Amino acid sequence: MADKRFFANSGPCTLGDIAARIGATLAPGVDGAREVLSVASLESAGPDDLSFLDNPKYIARFEATEAGACIVHPRFADRAPAGVALLLSEQPYRAYALAAQMFYPETIRGADTFGEPARIDPRAAVHPTAKLGAGVTVEPGASIGAHVEIGDKTIIAANANIGKACTIGKDCSIGSNVTISHAHVGDRVILHPGVRIGQDGFGFAMGLPKHEKVPQLGRVIIQDDVEIGANSTVDRGAGPDTVIGEGTKIDNLVQIGHNVEIGRHCIIVAQTGIAGSVKLGDFVVLAAQVGVAGHLTINSGAQIAARGGVVQDVAAGQQYGGAPARPIAEWRREIVELRKLGRRPKPSGNSAT
């Protein structure tokens, strides 16, 4: 159950309204005017809660749930306990996400952390040339530099630092201790605590008598609806810009090097590292701990399995795994053969000495 101290509930909602919002169908006999108060897991839900079943692994929990209503695929409808109102959906998990947004809309764009929204705290440092839109929140300890522009209803959390001349769009959530420099950020962007945007790329002319620093003269461009997880870093470009495409979601502890261009609606999971000048197409997925060598292209729709080491371009729609990464079917066959090799009995007879 969501803790009311942290999450503001916008319920109750009727089952009819929920079904219309999530694109589900009410099962025969379900009263669309019936209200539910919140969402909860199958095991913790009560008669006033809405839950969901997506993974067949949890059928037993579904059969024992005390939820008042449940989102479920039609093929599992006959497994529901008596009295549970069913909302039938071909995509239960996605439908649940949309339903949960109805009850807890603040979690989608982020909420203030200090408890005083739409207020410029006097303990923040805001340069007189900065332009802040209507309803902007700036929490204690935040610093906003000269000529910064921030759109309406954006939240700048405690101790965040927005460097001079940066722009941030509307309805953004900039978390505690985030630093932004040399960057332009779009609308509805969420940067979780500790994110670093726009620091120098790792550029050095190496050699004797010493390594010479290459000035990093590009920017970071973050397009609309991007979300970046805690303590991730995005270096600014060396000359070209580093670009994060619309709708891309980046997990915690991800490193994105200078000049990287990431397409729209990509998924980049925790501890992934992307070296400089890499290009990702749209809807690319990099699973946890993937490493991508510099100057490569991973084309649209490609997927790289966890711990994959990408050392060559990847064609559109391909699935790769392993280190070095290769087509996933090939990688899996290699794993099977290695297991077989490891299970072979030792040769009989005396070994040579």
Side-chain angles (χ1 to χ4, degrees), residues 179-202:
T179 62
I180 302 175
S181 69
H182 307 86
H184 298 299
V185 177
D187 297 336
R188 299 175 302 280
V189 169
I190 298 175
L191 303 181
H192 288 274
V195 166
R196 310 299 182 195
I197 303 293
Q199 58 282 333
D200 274 7
F202 192 71

Side-chain angles (χ1 to χ4, degrees), residues 26-288:
L26 295 176
V30 173
D31 181 6
R34 178 177 174 181
E35 292 184 338
V36 285
L37 304 182
S38 187
V39 292
S41 63
L42 288 168
E43 59 269 36
S44 64
D48 292 323
D49 295 321
L50 172 70
S51 192
F52 77 102
L53 171 70
D54 184 65
N55 190 334
K57 177 181 178 180
Y58 301 110
I59 281 285
R61 296 182 188 180
F62 176 55
E63 293 175 330
T65 189
E66 298 180 2
C70 193
I71 303 167
V72 64
H73 193 282
R75 70 176 180 273
F76 298 127
D78 61 351
R79 308 288 289 272
V84 176
L86 298 183
L87 289 77
L88 306 178
S89 171
E90 297 292 329
Q91 296 180 292
Y93 188 50
R94 184 178 184 85
Y96 167 78
L98 294 171
Q101 291 175 17
M102 296 176 68
F103 289 95
Y104 300 100
E106 285 188 353
T107 62
I108 304 308
R109 61 171 294 268
D112 70 284
T113 64
F114 190 62
E116 296 180 359
R119 176 175 182 265
I120 311 301
D121 193 279
R123 289 163 291 184
V126 180
H127 195 278
T129 62
K131 297 179 180 179
L132 278 55
V136 167
T137 299
V138 182
E139 295 184 349
S143 173
I144 298 176
H147 306 293
V148 166
E149 297 181 15
I150 299 176
D152 297 348
K153 298 182 181 180
T154 284
I155 297 167
I156 310 296
N159 299 318
N161 183 285
I162 315 301
K164 63 183 180 181
C166 290
T167 62
I168 300 173
K170 299 181 294 184
D171 294 307
C172 294
S173 176
I174 309 302
S176 299
N177 298 304
V178 167
T179 62
I180 302 175
S181 69
H182 307 86
H184 298 299
V185 177
D187 297 336
R188 299 175 302 280
V189 169
I190 298 175
L191 303 181
H192 288 274
V195 166
R196 310 299 182 195
I197 303 293
Q199 58 282 333
D200 274 7
F202 192 71
F204 296 90
M206 294 181 290
L208 297 174
K210 64 177 183 177
H211 306 313
E212 293 292 349
K213 186 175 183 65
V214 178
Q216 303 292 289
L217 304 177
R219 308 168 298 176
V220 174
I221 307 297
I222 298 178
Q223 297 179 0
D224 296 345
D225 300 303
V226 168
E227 184 164 349
I228 301 181
N231 295 321
S232 290
T233 61
V234 182
D235 296 345
R236 71 176 183 266
D241 295 328
T242 301
V243 179
I244 312 296
E246 172 190 357
T248 284
K249 311 301 182 186
I250 298 172
D251 199 358
N252 303 333
L253 297 170
V254 170
Q255 156 65 12
I256 297 174
H258 60 189
N259 310 336
V260 169
E261 297 180 18
I262 295 176
R264 300 177 302 117
H265 305 291
C266 294
I267 297 292
I268 302 174
V269 187
Q271 297 184 334
T272 287
I274 304 176
S277 300
V278 166
K279 293 185 178 181
L280 271 58
D282 299 335
F283 294 96
V284 168
V285 176
L286 305 182

